[in-house]
Amino acid sequence: RKSNDLGTFEHYESSVRSYCRSFPTKFHRASGYQMWDVEGKSYIDFFAGAGALNYGHNPPEMKKKLINYLMEDGISHTLDMASEAKEAFLVQFNKAILKPRGLNYKVMFPGPTGTNSVESALKLARKVTGRQTIMSFTNAFHGMTLGALAVTGNKFKRKGAGVPLNHAVSMPYDGYMGANTDTLAYIESYLKDSGSGISLPAAVIVETLQGEGGINVASNEWLTGLSEICKRYGMFLIVDDVQMGCGRTGSFFSFERCGIVPDIVCMSKSIGGYGLPMAITLIKPELDQWSPGEHNGTFRGNNLAFITATEALSYWETNQFAEDIAAKGALLRNELDEIVAKFPELKGEARGIGMMQGIAFEPGIAERISIAAFERGLIMETSGTDSEVIKIMPPLMIDRDGLMEGLLLLKNSVENVVD
Ligand code: PMP
């Protein structure tokens, strides 16, 4: 699909370096799980800003809070200074998220995006342990700045850096070497070899479910085992919950399903609630060893994002939201299994948890399905190193009807690819 399939995009393509090749139209407005382009065509959003729009487009209660704040000349930008909006977020985050889960973390603001959170985590682990390297996994995605890219296991993304990216040790993710290979045993044998000159890593950074890497789910046992290895070798466990956090897999933190307690947690995307840039890094209190100025940045702490982020946390005051995600996730899996069974010639495999699911195909098919879906009014990305997986991540607030409507478009698109 070329961008100039759409006449108006020719100019755009030649003058702008950053445009979206996958969805060649110009969008105008959005509400809930729907988007409309300038021609008035509507789309169902199964992409949700790559996880930045878990609460949907323009959620009314957040919009209202934001408008009121602006009308009262609320301050938008205070960098590191204290503000009412920041304080309200911190109080609410403790009350609605950390306390009920018995978690004790300090919250730091590492910059506006997920990759900033990852950078802060890697830097802090290196500083506190005095060690150099970070262990990460095949097919991982952690961001596009140099530090985060060094722990990203995707050759195409890494190629953009133009230089070898060291300070990282790549290990096989759960299942990467086939069902019969115990990757944890492999990892531990590597670590045991430290006597032969291999230096122990400062930390392990892991996604509990790899989103960009192809919707690969790590089992609870694997994650628990990994956490134990970290303790045995004095490595910090960093969970990158930038994409899987804020309810994507069914609970606020993705690691709640296996009961591990990471030393550091990276969050961004939906933490701001409204698609506004915001990131946090959660660190165990004893790790707060930063000296002044060691990790700062102009856009740390945007008050507009604090306003919507605080409101977003009210979704988590009861269990209802999590229960709804589980119910819709089960429905979604049912429907995906049906699609897989209906088109055996495509050799699809449904995978994922909660509202982070997809179907893996042989290379080439997922992209064709995504194109057919776009034509039918469904926005859906692919993931995986070879874009071999269709990635279904609707806003979590989508209702049953919206979900079924989107899935019907998906079925249609798969049929079209089979024909
Ligand atoms: N970590 C994970 C797991 C991600 O999915 C992403 C973004 N896709 C990032 C980090 C980087 O976040 P950002 O794009 O906001 O820098």
Side-chain angles (χ1 to χ4, degrees):
R1 196 170 11 166
K2 291 216 173 75
S3 57
N4 58 11
D5 286 349
L6 219 90
T8 52
F9 266 66
E10 268 171 35
H11 170 70
Y12 197 25
E13 181 180 17
S14 61
S15 62
V16 184
R17 242 181 335 115
S18 177
Y19 71 99
C20 181
R21 294 173 184 84
S22 305
F23 308 117
T25 191
K26 215 182 312 177
F27 288 100
H28 171 55
R29 68 185 194 92
S31 173
Y33 60 83
Q34 285 178 292
M35 300 164 74
W36 288 268
D37 69 12
V38 285
E39 310 292 333
K41 181 177 170 186
S42 72
Y43 296 84
I44 290 184
D45 185 1
F46 271 12
F47 176 43
L53 295 162
N54 281 3
Y55 307 100
H57 294 269
N58 290 304
E61 64 289 358
M62 291 183 216
K63 181 160 78 176
K64 204 166 151 213
K65 284 268 155 68
L66 195 55
I67 290 171
N68 288 344
Y69 186 72
L70 290 169
M71 292 307 285
E72 287 164 13
D73 279 342
I75 186 161
S76 66
H77 185 227
T78 45
L79 287 92
D80 228 9
M81 289 177 266
S83 71
E84 282 178 322
K86 181 194 276 184
E87 183 184 46
F89 170 75
L90 289 170
V91 168
Q92 185 65 3
F93 191 74
N94 262 295
K95 193 169 137 225
I97 304 297
L98 295 181
K99 277 244 169 70
R101 289 165 181 76
L103 294 170
N104 185 17
Y105 287 115
K106 283 198 176 187
V107 182
M108 70 172 274
F109 301 107
T113 72
T115 203
N116 296 136
S117 178
V118 169
E119 292 291 331
S120 70
L122 304 184
K123 284 167 65 179
L124 187 62
R126 283 161 55 105
K127 178 179 158 84
V128 174
T129 60
R131 299 179 186 172
Q132 296 291 306
T133 57
I134 307 287
M135 184 182 289
S136 63
F137 295 97
T138 48
N139 289 326
F141 185 86
H142 296 294
M144 294 304 270
T145 49
L146 277 175
L149 198 57
V151 289
T152 286
N154 178 310
K155 58 180 184 272
F156 298 107
K157 309 265 186 230
R158 292 170 69 99
K159 216 167 102 185
V163 288
L165 297 169
N166 36 35
H167 76 251
V169 182
S170 185
M171 285 286 154
Y173 194 69
D174 191 15
Y176 185 78
M177 296 165 88
N180 298 324
T181 305
D182 180 352
T183 58
L184 290 181
Y186 178 91
I187 292 166
E188 190 141 25
S189 62
Y190 167 85
L191 293 167
K192 272 194 192 130
D193 214 18
S194 55
S196 68
I198 293 163
S199 52
L200 285 171
V204 171
I205 183 163
V206 68
E207 298 153 275
T208 62
L209 189 171
Q210 295 179 326
E212 301 301 318
I215 316 193
N216 309 312
V217 182
S219 70
N220 288 348
E221 302 72 50
W222 191 83
L223 290 164
T224 312
L226 186 67
S227 165
E228 281 159 10
I229 289 178
C230 285
K231 287 192 187 105
R232 275 203 289 284
Y233 292 88
M235 308 180 294
F236 292 131
L237 178 62
I238 304 169
V239 168
D240 180 345
D241 241 359
V242 166
Q243 187 163 159
M244 293 309 138
C246 300
R248 184 46 63 186
T249 62
S251 45
F252 184 81
F253 296 112
S254 75
F255 52 84
E256 288 175 59
R257 72 173 155 100
C258 63
I260 57 170
V261 180
D263 300 291
I264 306 179
V265 184
C266 301
M267 302 194 87
S268 184
K269 295 199 191 260
S270 278
I271 194 72
Y274 202 77
L276 290 171
M278 173 169 166
I280 59 175
T281 309
L282 305 178
I283 59 178
K284 283 200 173 153
E286 62 273 23
L287 298 192
D288 185 14
Q289 297 179 29
W290 292 113
S291 303
E294 276 183 343
H295 191 88
N296 56 20
T298 305
F299 280 106
R300 292 198 298 163
N302 178 288
N303 291 298
L304 304 186
F306 288 142
I307 293 293
T308 52
T310 306
E311 183 60 31
L313 295 174
S314 58
Y315 280 74
W316 298 96
E317 280 171 350
T318 69
N319 285 334
Q320 193 58 49
F321 195 52
E323 282 167 18
D324 288 350
I325 298 167
K328 285 181 287 195
L331 177 69
L332 177 55
R333 172 49 72 90
N334 235 4
E335 295 293 314
L336 296 188
D337 283 340
E338 256 178 39
I339 293 176
V340 166
K342 194 168 168 207
F343 303 101
E345 61 273 47
L346 291 181
K347 298 194 196 89
E349 182 210 318
R351 38 167 87 167
I353 316 182
M355 292 287 267
M356 179 69 265
Q357 301 204 34
I359 308 178
F361 296 99
E362 279 165 2
I365 295 173
E367 279 179 316
R368 282 166 56 208
I369 295 173
S370 170
I371 291 167
F374 175 74
E375 285 158 3
R376 286 161 180 72
L378 177 68
I379 304 284
M380 188 184 63
E381 269 277 8
T382 60
S383 81
T385 308
D386 295 312
S387 302
E388 73 279 18
V389 183
I390 54 167
K391 190 175 180 217
I392 300 166
M393 51 183 321
L396 301 177
M397 45 60 69
I398 195 167
D399 57 20
R400 229 184 133 87
D401 288 350
L403 190 59
M404 293 309 285
E405 203 183 326
L407 287 166
L408 193 61
L409 296 177
L410 172 61
K411 274 183 216 166
N412 255 310
S413 314
V414 178
E415 247 158 41
N416 176 264
V417 166
V418 172
D419 291 346

